[in-house]
Amino acid sequence: MRYVLFDVDGTLIDAVSNQRRVWGTWAERYGLDADEVYRVALRTRPMETFAQVAADRDPHECLAALHELEDDDVRSGVYTAFDGASELLHGLTPGAWALVTSNYEHRVRGRFLRTGLPMPDVIVDAAAVEEGKPSPVPYLQAAARLGAEPEDCLVIEDAPSGVQSGLHAGMTVWGVNATVPVEGVHRHFASLREAVPHILAFASAGSCGDAAA
């Protein structure tokens, strides 16, 4: 049996404008330049972002403020699933796919509810692991919870840290929603829509022989 493990933001759900708005509001609260803060936030985890842009502030206070804004955005923001996401997730066998996200489960559930996407049985979020992407731990935990071997798993990602996480876990990794391939991916698709039939074919196949071709 084969399994598919998905990143969420940027892979299944388009949350770029939401993230930019949240970080912009956060920056204004601290009297910082919103564009500069967002540039740093794109490359680093929140605590690392705070260390660079607000080193004189209590990082835990900064994180609490960010979480408050993110939770507000889940309740009131407008979210869009990428074209093909609903067809893809509904086409997979229940119990054969999972979400692996650097966000938190309650926010993912809120976003999926807003976009009408089905929820899987397994979600590995930021609270579930001590080491986030690019560590292999998140994807390995998802595989373990599904009862899957890493070599039977396909990772769908859009970001370099997620791609590295999947590769370090010994899994097949395909990249989506990027104009150029992320370094290391076994296959690249400019959009999720383009990847849908190939992902469904992978999931229904009996062996991984040419999965990385």
Side-chain angles (χ1 to χ4, degrees):
M1 186 171 177
R2 287 179 164 187
Y3 302 82
V4 186
L5 312 180
F6 294 96
D7 174 51
V8 177
D9 293 339
T11 298
L12 295 173
I13 292 181
D14 185 354
V16 171
S17 61
N18 303 75
Q19 292 169 338
R20 181 182 287 276
R21 182 168 55 252
V22 164
W23 276 109
T25 303
W26 182 90
E28 290 174 8
R29 183 174 295 187
Y30 287 92
L32 301 170
D33 180 83
D35 290 338
E36 176 58 25
V37 167
Y38 187 64
R39 279 195 293 271
V40 175
L42 282 176
R43 303 191 307 267
T44 60
R45 299 175 189 174
M47 295 299 272
E48 296 164 348
T49 299
F50 306 146
Q52 290 192 40
V53 304
D56 58 333
R57 299 282 187 166
D58 179 351
H60 298 289
E61 175 195 314
C62 291
L63 187 62
L66 181 67
H67 283 176
E68 175 190 335
L69 292 169
E70 289 179 325
D71 287 344
D72 285 344
D73 186 69
V74 170
R75 289 189 291 267
S76 62
V78 176
Y79 285 90
T80 303
F82 281 108
D83 183 29
S86 181
E87 172 191 335
L88 173 58
L89 299 186
H90 280 103
L92 293 170
T93 302
W97 62 283
L99 302 177
V100 181
T101 176
S102 299
N103 212 319
Y104 289 86
E105 182 172 342
H106 72 280
R107 293 193 196 116
V108 172
R109 288 187 177 276
R111 292 176 180 182
F112 271 51
L113 182 63
R114 299 288 296 279
T115 54
L117 296 179
M119 291 295 301
D121 296 329
V122 173
I123 303 173
V124 176
D125 71 346
V129 293
E130 292 187 6
E131 294 181 31
K133 303 172 186 179
S135 165
V137 169
Y139 279 111
L140 289 174
Q141 183 178 126
R145 289 173 59 182
L146 288 170
E149 296 297 328
E151 59 266 28
D152 294 326
C153 294
L154 170 63
V155 169
I156 306 299
E157 273 280 359
D158 73 300
S161 62
V163 168
Q164 290 304 309
S165 178
L167 292 174
H168 292 155
M171 300 176 180
T172 299
V173 182
W174 292 357
V176 298
N177 299 332
T179 53
V180 296
V182 174
E183 183 177 356
V185 295
H186 296 109
R187 293 187 71 174
H188 165 72
F189 301 91
S191 67
L192 180 66
R193 162 54 65 192
E194 182 185 335
V196 167
H198 302 279
I199 297 170
L200 292 175
F202 178 103
S204 63
S207 66
C208 292
D210 62 351

